[in-house]
Amino acid sequence: MLAPYIVYRAQRVSTLLLTIPPEVEFRSVVDSFAEVGYPSLAAKADIVSFALLELVSNSMRAHRERGISEPVKVSFSAAGSELDISVLDAGRGFDPRLLPYDLDAPVETVDLLSDSFAEYQRRYGGSRFGMGLYVAKKTFPRFTLSFVDRADRPCPWFSGLVKGTRIDLGLPIVESGSAPFVEARGEAAEPAGEVEELLPLEEVGK
Amino acid sequence: MSDERRGDCRDRSFARVLLRFRGRIGYVADVSGGGFRGLFPEDFELEAGGPIELELGFEELGIDIFSLSALVKWIRRDEGALEAGFELASAEPRSLELFNRIRTYYSNPLP
């Protein structure tokens, strides 16, 4: 069986790193995600990308609000039976108690019509749904959020050492019989190992 | 799906705009002047033909969450997800103006 791979801009790769400066226009980030072709997954590819874009949007906002110039990093790996994705930012984390639901609760128990969501929306002047983490939890069977210190080591929110947030996600890769193994948005070349992509495009580094 | 998507103009309007309908969260895709495709990660009861009230938000442009009247033109259920085509013929002018700002943002080429 062909080993699973990711397609990015016509290259087959086993890992992909998108490095996103917080000041780039969001539509360029959206365009980059539209170039990612996933292995056949237990979820629709568009929904996977949309859920990731919610997380990246949250991270970019945190960087901008705090004047942090470090990039947000999104890494993909299709080396095993799961598509592994991690989103790492340096946005100084957030108080989980301010979310409109319990982040540790099973996602199916979250009531999106509850008063806490309406209150959250009011608190942010009607600009936020408060759904970014929720949709990621809903989309990815494996979801782990941790706060990290300057060495990217996990640390508790109340430690005073939080530099950023790391979200690890996993989604099973499924075999698709004789159908194309990868949902690609571009023609796939031979496997090229790893790709590191630094946005915007003129700063590509491989 | 691969071949279907290649060269498909839908990808040019692959957007990231949150959509809410009766507590269900979805995404706006394939934006055009007359409407858009809505993509919801989970299936739920929704029928073609009826007018509904959606909520959209797009923080990147400083657009607060707003209501948008739309007509459900078609429904497709696939892999546990629900896709719907929404027509904006009945939307209020102010809501249409906000929607068109989002559409313009995604339509214009990057500088």
Side-chain angles (χ1 to χ4, degrees), chain A:
Chain A
M1 189 184 93
L2 191 60
Y5 53 84
I6 301 158
V7 173
Y8 187 70
R9 300 212 166 127
Q11 281 192 76
R12 289 181 187 179
V13 294
S14 55
T15 64
L16 170 68
L17 173 64
L18 299 178
T19 308
I20 306 165
E23 71 275 9
V24 298
E25 278 215 53
F26 196 75
R27 55 185 167 157
S28 72
V29 181
V30 171
D31 286 348
S32 286
F33 273 82
E35 299 275 354
V36 179
Y38 304 107
S40 295
L41 298 170
K44 287 179 75 71
D46 281 353
I47 287 176
V48 170
S49 286
F50 280 130
L52 292 174
L53 285 166
E54 286 306 304
L55 299 179
V56 172
S57 172
N58 285 349
S59 292
M60 289 176 71
R61 182 206 301 130
H63 282 223
R64 287 174 177 173
E65 286 178 350
R66 293 166 176 80
I68 295 162
S69 59
E70 284 179 60
V72 175
K73 296 177 181 173
V74 185
S75 62
F76 302 80
S77 172
S81 59
E82 279 192 340
L83 176 67
D84 297 313
I85 302 171
S86 95
V87 180
L88 176 65
D89 72 38
R92 305 298 182 260
F94 62 92
D95 186 345
R97 294 172 305 178
L98 297 179
L99 291 173
Y101 57 94
D102 179 358
L103 192 56
D104 295 324
V107 71
E108 58 274 9
T109 65
V110 176
D111 178 8
L112 300 181
L113 296 173
S114 69
D115 290 343
S116 53
F117 277 94
E119 169 56 29
Y120 182 90
Q121 193 172 314
R122 274 194 297 273
R123 191 189 313 150
Y124 289 100
S127 64
R128 299 185 194 175
F129 283 118
M131 300 286 181
L133 292 171
Y134 168 82
V135 294
K137 280 193 77 167
K138 188 94 180 167
T139 304
F140 295 94
R142 184 166 59 76
F143 172 100
T144 310
L145 183 146
S146 51
F147 298 115
V148 295
D149 63 16
R150 292 191 176 281
D152 291 339
R153 292 174 305 213
C155 63
W157 164 244
F158 294 108
S159 66
L161 300 171
V162 174
K163 178 193 173 192
T165 306
R166 178 186 177 104
I167 299 172
D168 292 300
L169 307 162
L171 192 61
I173 295 172
V174 296
E175 291 186 48
S176 57
S178 58
F181 193 73
V182 170
E183 292 185 0
R185 291 177 168 87
E187 291 291 340
E190 287 304 300
E194 300 182 357
V195 164
E196 181 167 336
E197 179 80 14
L198 187 69
L199 299 174
L201 301 183
E202 56 269 25
E203 296 176 29
V204 169
K206 292 179 182 173

